[in-house]
Structure formats: C-alpha cells, structure tokens
Amino acid sequence: MKTTENFTDKADIYAKYRPHYPIEYINYLFSANQLKEDQLVADIGSGTGIFSRQLLERGLKVIGVEPNDDMRNLAEISLKQYSRFTSIKATAENTTLKGENVDLVTVAQAFHWFDKEAFKIECQRILKQKANVALVWNSRDLTSLIMKENAEICQKTCPNFKGFSGGMVESPEIFNNFFKNGKYEFKMYQNDLLFDYEGFLGRNLSASYAPKKNDEEYERFVFLLSELFEKHSKNGKIVLQNITRSYLGTV
C-alpha cells in the first residue's frame, strides 16, 4: 500500500482524536517568520486540516496539500467556512503550486512519510526567497511508563508498527540533510494530553498502523488498551505525556 493510503478509512477518527498544537508554538511560528495576516502558507500533508485550522484562525491564507481523498474531503467540509482556505489533491514531492509564491511551508505530523530529497527540491521551488520550512510533531514522551507500555501493545498487535511517527528516530542527520547548511532552530513544548477512555482509545485507533475493525488483531488491541487505561487512569481520565517538537529553517 502506498503511504498516501495509510489513513484511508481513518479520517473521521483522526480528526476527532488527534491533538492540536500549543498556542505557544503558533505564537513562535508567527514571530520567528514575521507572519502577517493574509500571507500564504502551504500546509503539506494537511490531512483533516487540524493544523491548517489553527493557521486560518490567525488570519493566514492556507493551501492544504493532501493526497489522501478521505482526509482531504473531511478537511474541505470542516474548513469550508474559511474563505482563505484552498484544498489541493497533490503530494509533498509534487505540490502543483506556483513557483516562488509561498511565504511559509508547514508540515504537521507528516514529514516522516515524505521522500525527503524530492520534498526539499519542491520546497525550494515554491517558496519565496529566504522563506522557511516548519516541521512539527506532537510526539509521545517515550520516557513515560504509559507510553512504553502503549508501544509494547502496538508491537504485539500491530503488524505494521515500526515505532511511533512511522518509526522515525529523532536523528540530527535527517534534519542536517534537509535544512540548508544543516542549520535550523529546534524548539520543544510540553503538551500533555488528557483523555477519557473513548479519547484514549480513539487516539490509538487513529494511528496508521492500528488495526481496523475487520482486522484479526482489532479486539486484542482494544482489550489490551482497555487494561492499560484501567491501570493508569484516575477518575476516568488518563494523562499522556506529549511533547511538541519544532524544526524551522530555510532549505
């Protein structure tokens, strides 16, 4: 299966249970890039529009580039009230956007799916001179006991599990190769997530590797997650330690 199809049939659950990004990060993005209302952002791998919405709420023009039909269609419905939003069916490596026209490229929770070199060349083509690329992830804090046990469940029941965020390790080499002269600014924000049982289960089921209802391991996956929730929850709520990681620079 092509990576562009990883989230087919998961758009609804993805949109409902995936977290937003901290306001501190959005403020940083604006100040670091000197963004002003009506400037143009290309949100690549925009999915169901979670990050696009946060940019639109601050008055930016946003082009959402998303190859997956289910994800893109949901974004178009949920963001239809924003006249500044444009939706395009295209890939990160071939966005079809006009050259030297974009004030900022953003990639939220998607860079690990891209062909890094081809995407870099495409960014160089569509960005205005000296404009930046912003990569951001909401990442599980793997030092947390809950997250370690959550990963063990995924290893047991999810054949396609290679680690969270597609198994991408936070290797400096990846970012050194992507950003121009290996120079970028790294920021980190604590962004812990509070879920009830439904939210906790939904967050896990929204992952690309998670089994779907018809899959053999689905019931076992849900059962083990239920046990994990019961073990660590208090008053019907569980806290998942989450870190927002940001990489910003020119390419």
Side-chain angles (χ1 to χ4, degrees):
M1 184 172 69
K2 294 187 297 183
T3 58
T4 56
E5 297 170 3
N6 281 344
F7 293 98
T8 296
D9 300 329
K10 293 193 175 186
D12 288 335
I13 199 167
Y14 191 104
K16 189 172 182 180
Y17 296 113
R18 285 295 179 113
H20 290 76
Y21 298 83
I23 189 65
E24 294 87 352
Y25 172 67
I26 304 297
N27 290 339
Y28 159 72
L29 205 59
F30 268 73
S31 61
N33 295 285
Q34 299 181 323
L35 291 174
K36 299 179 181 64
E37 196 169 300
D38 280 340
Q39 283 192 285
L40 181 62
V41 176
D43 190 21
I44 312 297
S46 48
T48 61
I50 292 171
F51 190 59
S52 292
R53 180 185 295 274
Q54 290 187 263
L55 300 176
L56 290 163
E57 287 172 345
R58 295 286 290 264
L60 294 171
K61 290 179 181 176
V62 179
I63 299 175
V65 177
E66 174 55 51
N68 184 279
D69 292 338
D70 288 357
M71 305 280 273
R72 191 183 63 261
N73 290 340
L74 197 151
E76 290 170 358
I77 293 167
S78 67
L79 299 176
K80 63 183 178 182
Q81 74 269 35
Y82 294 99
S83 60
R84 293 183 176 95
F85 180 65
T86 305
S87 177
I88 292 178
K89 178 176 182 174
T91 64
E93 300 82 7
N94 182 22
T95 64
T96 74
L97 299 182
K98 183 180 173 183
E100 298 183 13
N101 191 48
V102 174
D103 296 297
L104 176 68
V105 164
T106 59
V107 184
Q109 221 72 24
F111 183 67
H112 48 284
W113 300 119
F114 300 169
D115 178 321
K116 312 293 188 295
E117 188 57 35
F119 175 56
K120 178 177 181 174
I121 292 168
E122 183 67 349
C123 288
Q124 291 168 342
R125 186 185 71 79
I126 65 175
L127 280 166
K128 294 178 180 177
Q129 280 197 348
K130 298 182 180 179
N132 288 324
V133 176
L135 311 176
V136 63
W137 283 267
N138 274 316
S139 302
R140 296 166 177 83
D141 182 352
L142 298 181
T143 64
S144 153
L145 177 61
I146 296 174
M147 292 306 184
K148 287 177 181 177
E149 293 178 2
N150 203 155
E152 288 170 5
I153 291 171
C154 294
Q155 286 165 352
K156 290 176 185 175
T157 58
C158 305
N160 295 324
F161 181 72
K162 298 180 178 65
F164 298 128
S165 295
M168 178 177 173
V169 293
E170 195 172 331
S171 164
E173 185 180 354
I174 293 170
F175 305 107
N176 289 340
N177 290 337
F178 181 72
F179 289 105
K180 188 176 181 180
N181 299 323
K183 292 182 179 178
Y184 57 89
E185 186 169 60
F186 173 69
K187 294 280 187 181
M188 194 164 65
Y189 304 85
Q190 196 69 33
N191 188 25
D192 291 347
L193 309 173
L194 181 68
F195 286 119
D196 59 11
Y197 172 70
E198 181 187 349
F200 173 69
L201 188 60
R203 173 63 188 88
N204 275 280
L205 288 171
S206 75
S208 61
Y209 49 77
K212 299 175 185 178
K213 279 193 176 179
N214 295 331
D215 292 339
E216 185 179 339
E217 289 287 359
Y218 178 83
E219 289 187 8
R220 185 173 175 231
F221 183 63
V222 170
F223 174 73
L224 291 174
L225 288 172
S226 302
E227 285 192 326
L228 183 64
F229 183 86
E230 188 68 27
K231 178 180 177 182
H232 291 287
S233 62
K234 291 181 180 177
N235 301 317
K237 302 283 186 181
I238 194 169
V239 177
L240 300 186
Q241 287 73 28
N242 185 77
I243 294 167
T244 300
R245 295 182 291 119
S246 156
Y247 302 82
L248 180 72
T250 59
V251 295

Short mmCIF file of all heavy atoms in Angstrom, two decimals, residues 111-112 114-117 120 135 137 165-180 182-184 245 247 251:
data_model
loop_
_atom_site.label_atom_id
_atom_site.label_comp_id
_atom_site.label_asym_id
_atom_site.label_seq_id
_atom_site.Cartn_x
_atom_site.Cartn_y
_atom_site.Cartn_z
N PHE A 111 6.04 14.70 7.94
CA PHE A 111 7.35 14.70 7.26
C PHE A 111 7.93 13.30 7.13
O PHE A 111 8.62 12.98 6.15
CB PHE A 111 8.30 15.61 8.03
CG PHE A 111 9.67 15.77 7.42
CD1 PHE A 111 9.85 16.41 6.21
CD2 PHE A 111 10.80 15.28 8.08
CE1 PHE A 111 11.12 16.58 5.66
CE2 PHE A 111 12.06 15.44 7.55
CZ PHE A 111 12.23 16.09 6.34
N HIS A 112 7.65 12.44 8.10
CA HIS A 112 8.22 11.09 8.09
C HIS A 112 7.66 10.23 6.95
O HIS A 112 8.21 9.17 6.65
CB HIS A 112 8.00 10.38 9.44
CG HIS A 112 6.62 10.47 9.98
ND1 HIS A 112 6.13 11.62 10.57
CD2 HIS A 112 5.60 9.57 10.02
CE1 HIS A 112 4.89 11.41 10.97
NE2 HIS A 112 4.53 10.18 10.64
N PHE A 114 7.39 11.48 3.80
CA PHE A 114 7.82 12.07 2.53
C PHE A 114 9.14 11.49 2.02
O PHE A 114 9.96 11.01 2.79
CB PHE A 114 8.02 13.59 2.68
CG PHE A 114 6.80 14.37 3.10
CD1 PHE A 114 6.92 15.70 3.48
CD2 PHE A 114 5.53 13.79 3.11
CE1 PHE A 114 5.82 16.44 3.87
CE2 PHE A 114 4.42 14.52 3.50
CZ PHE A 114 4.56 15.85 3.89
N ASP A 115 9.34 11.62 0.71
CA ASP A 115 10.67 11.46 0.11
C ASP A 115 11.39 12.76 0.40
O ASP A 115 11.11 13.80 -0.19
CB ASP A 115 10.54 11.23 -1.39
CG ASP A 115 11.88 11.11 -2.11
OD1 ASP A 115 12.82 11.86 -1.76
OD2 ASP A 115 11.97 10.28 -3.03
N LYS A 116 12.32 12.71 1.35
CA LYS A 116 12.91 13.94 1.90
C LYS A 116 13.61 14.80 0.84
O LYS A 116 13.45 16.02 0.80
CB LYS A 116 13.91 13.60 3.01
CG LYS A 116 13.43 12.63 4.07
CD LYS A 116 12.32 13.18 4.91
CE LYS A 116 11.97 12.26 6.07
NZ LYS A 116 11.42 10.95 5.68
N GLU A 117 14.39 14.18 -0.05
CA GLU A 117 15.14 14.95 -1.04
C GLU A 117 14.21 15.57 -2.06
O GLU A 117 14.36 16.74 -2.43
CB GLU A 117 16.17 14.04 -1.73
CG GLU A 117 17.15 14.79 -2.63
CD GLU A 117 17.93 15.89 -1.92
OE1 GLU A 117 18.28 15.72 -0.73
OE2 GLU A 117 18.19 16.94 -2.57
N LYS A 120 12.40 18.45 -0.46
CA LYS A 120 13.30 19.61 -0.31
C LYS A 120 13.37 20.41 -1.61
O LYS A 120 13.26 21.64 -1.60
CB LYS A 120 14.69 19.12 0.10
CG LYS A 120 15.73 20.22 0.24
CD LYS A 120 17.06 19.64 0.72
CE LYS A 120 18.10 20.72 0.88
NZ LYS A 120 19.35 20.20 1.48
N LEU A 135 8.70 22.21 10.36
CA LEU A 135 8.31 20.83 10.61
C LEU A 135 7.90 20.72 12.07
O LEU A 135 8.61 21.20 12.96
CB LEU A 135 9.49 19.88 10.35
CG LEU A 135 10.25 20.03 9.03
CD1 LEU A 135 11.43 19.06 9.00
CD2 LEU A 135 9.33 19.81 7.83
N TRP A 137 5.85 18.09 15.15
CA TRP A 137 5.20 16.84 15.57
C TRP A 137 4.66 16.99 16.98
O TRP A 137 5.29 17.60 17.83
CB TRP A 137 6.20 15.68 15.63
CG TRP A 137 6.61 15.06 14.36
CD1 TRP A 137 6.06 13.97 13.74
CD2 TRP A 137 7.73 15.45 13.54
NE1 TRP A 137 6.75 13.68 12.59
CE2 TRP A 137 7.77 14.56 12.44
CE3 TRP A 137 8.67 16.47 13.62
CZ2 TRP A 137 8.74 14.67 11.44
CZ3 TRP A 137 9.63 16.59 12.64
CH2 TRP A 137 9.66 15.69 11.56
N SER A 165 5.25 7.67 15.06
CA SER A 165 5.64 8.57 13.96
C SER A 165 6.40 7.82 12.87
O SER A 165 7.45 8.27 12.39
CB SER A 165 6.49 9.74 14.49
OG SER A 165 5.74 10.56 15.35
N GLY A 166 5.85 6.69 12.49
CA GLY A 166 6.45 5.92 11.39
C GLY A 166 7.80 5.33 11.70
O GLY A 166 8.53 4.93 10.80
N GLY A 167 8.15 5.29 12.99
CA GLY A 167 9.45 4.75 13.37
C GLY A 167 10.60 5.71 13.15
O GLY A 167 11.77 5.35 13.28
N MET A 168 10.25 6.96 12.85
CA MET A 168 11.30 7.95 12.58
C MET A 168 12.02 8.31 13.88
O MET A 168 11.40 8.74 14.84
CB MET A 168 10.69 9.21 11.99
CG MET A 168 11.71 10.31 11.72
SD MET A 168 10.93 11.74 10.94
CE MET A 168 12.29 12.89 10.97
N VAL A 169 13.29 8.09 13.91
CA VAL A 169 14.08 8.48 15.08
C VAL A 169 14.46 9.95 14.94
O VAL A 169 14.58 10.47 13.85
CB VAL A 169 15.35 7.62 15.22
CG1 VAL A 169 14.98 6.19 15.54
CG2 VAL A 169 16.20 7.67 13.96
N GLU A 170 14.63 10.58 16.09
CA GLU A 170 14.98 12.00 16.07
C GLU A 170 16.48 12.13 15.80
O GLU A 170 17.25 12.54 16.65
CB GLU A 170 14.59 12.65 17.39
CG GLU A 170 14.57 14.16 17.33
CD GLU A 170 14.00 14.77 18.60
OE1 GLU A 170 13.17 14.13 19.26
OE2 GLU A 170 14.39 15.89 18.91
N SER A 171 16.85 11.78 14.58
CA SER A 171 18.26 11.80 14.22
C SER A 171 18.65 13.16 13.65
O SER A 171 18.03 13.62 12.68
CB SER A 171 18.53 10.71 13.17
OG SER A 171 19.76 10.93 12.54
N PRO A 172 19.68 13.80 14.20
CA PRO A 172 20.13 15.08 13.65
C PRO A 172 20.47 15.00 12.17
O PRO A 172 20.31 15.98 11.44
CB PRO A 172 21.36 15.42 14.49
CG PRO A 172 21.19 14.65 15.76
CD PRO A 172 20.47 13.39 15.37
N GLU A 173 20.91 13.83 11.72
CA GLU A 173 21.32 13.68 10.32
C GLU A 173 20.16 13.99 9.36
O GLU A 173 20.37 14.60 8.32
CB GLU A 173 21.82 12.25 10.09
CG GLU A 173 22.37 12.04 8.68
CD GLU A 173 22.85 10.61 8.47
OE1 GLU A 173 22.85 9.83 9.43
OE2 GLU A 173 23.21 10.29 7.33
N ILE A 174 18.96 13.56 9.72
CA ILE A 174 17.79 13.80 8.87
C ILE A 174 17.59 15.29 8.66
O ILE A 174 17.38 15.76 7.54
CB ILE A 174 16.52 13.18 9.51
CG1 ILE A 174 16.63 11.66 9.53
CG2 ILE A 174 15.27 13.63 8.77
CD1 ILE A 174 15.56 10.98 10.33
N PHE A 175 17.66 16.05 9.75
CA PHE A 175 17.41 17.48 9.68
C PHE A 175 18.61 18.24 9.14
O PHE A 175 18.45 19.25 8.45
CB PHE A 175 16.97 17.99 11.05
CG PHE A 175 15.80 17.24 11.60
CD1 PHE A 175 15.95 16.34 12.64
CD2 PHE A 175 14.55 17.37 11.03
CE1 PHE A 175 14.88 15.61 13.13
CE2 PHE A 175 13.46 16.65 11.50
CZ PHE A 175 13.63 15.77 12.55
N ASN A 176 19.80 17.76 9.43
CA ASN A 176 21.01 18.37 8.86
C ASN A 176 21.01 18.28 7.34
O ASN A 176 21.43 19.20 6.64
CB ASN A 176 22.27 17.69 9.40
CG ASN A 176 22.53 18.02 10.86
OD1 ASN A 176 22.02 19.01 11.37
ND2 ASN A 176 23.31 17.20 11.53
N ASN A 177 20.53 17.16 6.82
CA ASN A 177 20.48 16.97 5.37
C ASN A 177 19.36 17.77 4.73
O ASN A 177 19.48 18.21 3.58
CB ASN A 177 20.29 15.48 5.03
CG ASN A 177 21.52 14.67 5.34
OD1 ASN A 177 22.63 15.20 5.40
ND2 ASN A 177 21.34 13.37 5.56
N PHE A 178 18.27 17.96 5.46
CA PHE A 178 17.11 18.64 4.88
C PHE A 178 17.28 20.15 4.86
O PHE A 178 17.02 20.80 3.84
CB PHE A 178 15.84 18.26 5.64
CG PHE A 178 14.60 18.91 5.09
CD1 PHE A 178 14.07 18.50 3.88
CD2 PHE A 178 13.98 19.94 5.78
CE1 PHE A 178 12.94 19.11 3.35
CE2 PHE A 178 12.84 20.55 5.27
CZ PHE A 178 12.32 20.12 4.05
N PHE A 179 17.72 20.72 5.97
CA PHE A 179 17.82 22.18 6.04
C PHE A 179 19.15 22.67 5.45
O PHE A 179 20.16 21.98 5.52
CB PHE A 179 17.69 22.64 7.50
CG PHE A 179 16.30 22.50 8.05
CD1 PHE A 179 15.99 21.48 8.94
CD2 PHE A 179 15.28 23.36 7.66
CE1 PHE A 179 14.71 21.33 9.44
CE2 PHE A 179 13.99 23.23 8.17
CZ PHE A 179 13.71 22.21 9.05
N LYS A 180 19.10 23.84 4.88
CA LYS A 180 20.25 24.42 4.19
C LYS A 180 21.44 24.55 5.14
O LYS A 180 21.33 25.11 6.23
CB LYS A 180 19.88 25.80 3.63
CG LYS A 180 20.95 26.41 2.74
CD LYS A 180 20.47 27.72 2.14
CE LYS A 180 21.50 28.32 1.22
NZ LYS A 180 21.02 29.60 0.63
N GLY A 182 22.61 22.54 7.02
CA GLY A 182 22.38 21.87 8.29
C GLY A 182 21.96 22.80 9.42
O GLY A 182 22.06 22.44 10.59
N LYS A 183 21.46 23.98 9.06
CA LYS A 183 21.11 24.97 10.09
C LYS A 183 19.60 25.07 10.25
O LYS A 183 18.86 25.26 9.29
CB LYS A 183 21.67 26.35 9.72
CG LYS A 183 23.19 26.40 9.76
CD LYS A 183 23.69 27.79 9.42
CE LYS A 183 25.22 27.88 9.48
NZ LYS A 183 25.71 29.22 9.11
N TYR A 184 19.14 24.91 11.49
CA TYR A 184 17.72 25.03 11.80
C TYR A 184 17.58 25.37 13.27
O TYR A 184 18.51 25.18 14.07
CB TYR A 184 16.98 23.73 11.48
CG TYR A 184 17.51 22.51 12.19
CD1 TYR A 184 17.05 22.14 13.44
CD2 TYR A 184 18.52 21.73 11.61
CE1 TYR A 184 17.54 21.03 14.10
CE2 TYR A 184 19.03 20.61 12.26
CZ TYR A 184 18.53 20.26 13.50
OH TYR A 184 19.03 19.17 14.15
N ARG A 245 7.47 18.97 19.09
CA ARG A 245 8.82 19.24 18.60
C ARG A 245 8.75 20.05 17.31
O ARG A 245 8.02 19.72 16.41
CB ARG A 245 9.56 17.93 18.32
CG ARG A 245 9.81 17.08 19.53
CD ARG A 245 10.58 15.83 19.17
NE ARG A 245 9.80 14.89 18.37
CZ ARG A 245 10.12 14.49 17.15
NH1 ARG A 245 11.20 14.96 16.55
NH2 ARG A 245 9.36 13.64 16.51
N TYR A 247 10.97 22.14 14.19
CA TYR A 247 12.21 22.38 13.46
C TYR A 247 11.92 23.44 12.40
O TYR A 247 11.00 23.28 11.60
CB TYR A 247 12.70 21.10 12.77
CG TYR A 247 12.94 19.96 13.73
CD1 TYR A 247 11.89 19.16 14.18
CD2 TYR A 247 14.23 19.66 14.18
CE1 TYR A 247 12.10 18.11 15.05
CE2 TYR A 247 14.44 18.60 15.05
CZ TYR A 247 13.38 17.84 15.49
OH TYR A 247 13.60 16.80 16.36
N VAL A 251 15.65 25.96 3.30
CA VAL A 251 16.16 24.77 2.62
C VAL A 251 16.88 25.16 1.33
O VAL A 251 17.35 24.32 0.61
CB VAL A 251 15.02 23.76 2.32
CG1 VAL A 251 14.45 23.23 3.60
CG2 VAL A 251 13.93 24.39 1.46
#
